[in-house]
Amino acid sequence: MYPNQALNAPAVRAPEVHHPTPITPAAPYPAPLVPVQPHAVPTVASVVLPDGRVVTGYAMSPVQPEPVVAKPAVSRAAVNVALGGVGFLAVCGGLLLLTTFITALTALITQLITLAAVIFGGWIAVQIFSGRDHSKSGTTVNIRKAVIKRNRFYQ
């Protein structure tokens, strides 16, 4: 079923040996920090106390206070609060103008509605109370003399 593998054996090749080339980085990595002893050993001071004891130790330099940084005349917090107050006043002024505008617009609309009602009501009053003859206009209905007896209509 399968071809004979022994007859078609591959040719034996010589082994290839690869020698990797080390890659040197462009900037060498910094060396890890190692504790370093001071170059000069400080001098040891000995003091003889009045009772005869000797105290030995390293001489210490006096601690220098940090220089005082000049503070600004006005703190940043005060400036921020003042600027916030100015912004708040500007917003309140704008809101006051907005509410004034809305109030004036509402009054204008109310006056327009009242004016329309007065004009329409006046027109209706003129129609009702006008002195013209209604018989010339409208629908004419001729009613004949009729006799109504006992809820019956006779002509």
Side-chain angles (χ1 to χ4, degrees), residues 31-40:
L33 295 176
V34 178
V36 179
Q37 294 294 330
H39 297 327

Side-chain angles (χ1 to χ4, degrees), residues 85-130:
V86 169
F88 182 73
L89 287 177
V91 168
C92 286
L95 289 177
L96 182 63
L97 288 176
L98 183 65
T99 54
T100 305
F101 175 74
I102 291 172
T103 305
L105 188 63
T106 306
L108 176 69
I109 291 172
T110 305
Q111 288 176 358
L112 289 176
I113 291 172
T114 305
L115 180 64
V118 167
I119 290 173
F120 185 68
W123 181 75
I124 291 178
V126 166
Q127 295 296 321
I128 291 174
F129 296 117
S130 66

